[in-house]
Amino acid sequence: MREVSKVNASVVLCTHNRASRLSRALGSLSDLDLPAGLDWELIVVDNNSTDDTRAIVERVAAESRLPCRYLFEAHPGKSFALNAGVAQALGQVLIFTDDDVTFDPGWLRALLAAFDASDYAGVGGQIVPVWPGPPPRWYSETGPYRLRAAVVRYQFDAAGPVSLPPYGANMAYRREMFERYGLFRTDIGPGPLGVMRGEDSEFGLRVLAGGERVVYVPSAIVYHPVEPERMQLRYFEHFYYGVGRMQVRAFPLPPGTARWLGIPRYLFRALPQHLLQWLTSLNPRARAFHRLSSWEALGSMLEAWKLRRQ
């Protein structure tokens, strides 16, 4: 007989107007390979959807073996939905995932085994991007022109403690981490404007800054589809712009940082440098890197100026 996890868990999945993708994710969750008697629940937080999200969740709750609960959060913004899920969750461990992923059958068992085996505060599982075709020529995941995770990937060479916090598609924390370090910040994260990013990383960095340990478990796998629009530079531009905004808002610079109109002075050097290298480089990966870095710098500059006005 397989051992039952000693940890009871709540899986929080937030969604907004993505009923068809949600249905696929819930079907994948129904196929998880779980020990008999495992104490867990699935909370689907509907962030003010106008499609048939509720009907899909209620049908799954009635017809499948998933211990599924539906929760409606009217305030738009993913952080509000995440916090609503945290407030309603009953588990000792809170696990977070997305509405557009599919799951390895051993996903949940692998996450919980990490908590059973140690006193880790958090666990990050492997996120594998599923490309619809070859990546664009300008895209790079390694080397000097490595791009940020607009295409969601969380992978390391081996299991073990990490300094890079896990991403929201596949992360878990003990409940007391939210009691100790607070909830997800509602002034960052995807929302009605769709450009601010990083509520998951910001929370994880708070936990790590508190001296807690977070571990990477490669056997806890989710598969994240790369939609065709995510293969376009325009999508990456929006992503980098949002990252630039988030960094200024979530991680203020030390007092005394030289500024002009509230904007850190170094950004007035960084932006033209990236623009010049974007326009003059013949390497498609270098051009993409500096093009997107220009958008990130611009997002930081405009957010810093806005915060000064506020």
Side-chain angles (χ1 to χ4, degrees), residues 59-100:
R59 183 176 68 249
V60 167
E63 298 177 358
S64 80
R65 65 189 183 97
L66 285 177
C68 185
R69 285 201 281 149
Y70 173 86
L71 177 63
F72 185 81
E73 172 53 52
H75 199 297
K78 187 175 182 180
S79 292
F80 290 99
L82 288 168
N83 290 340
V86 171
Q88 291 294 317
L90 302 176
Q92 300 168 12
V93 167
L94 306 187
I95 300 168
F96 302 88
T97 190
D98 285 348
D99 59 4
D100 57 350

Side-chain angles (χ1 to χ4, degrees), residues 2 9 69 105 171 174 196:
R2 288 172 297 180
R69 285 201 281 149
M171 67 181 189
R174 295 188 186 274
M196 192 75 81

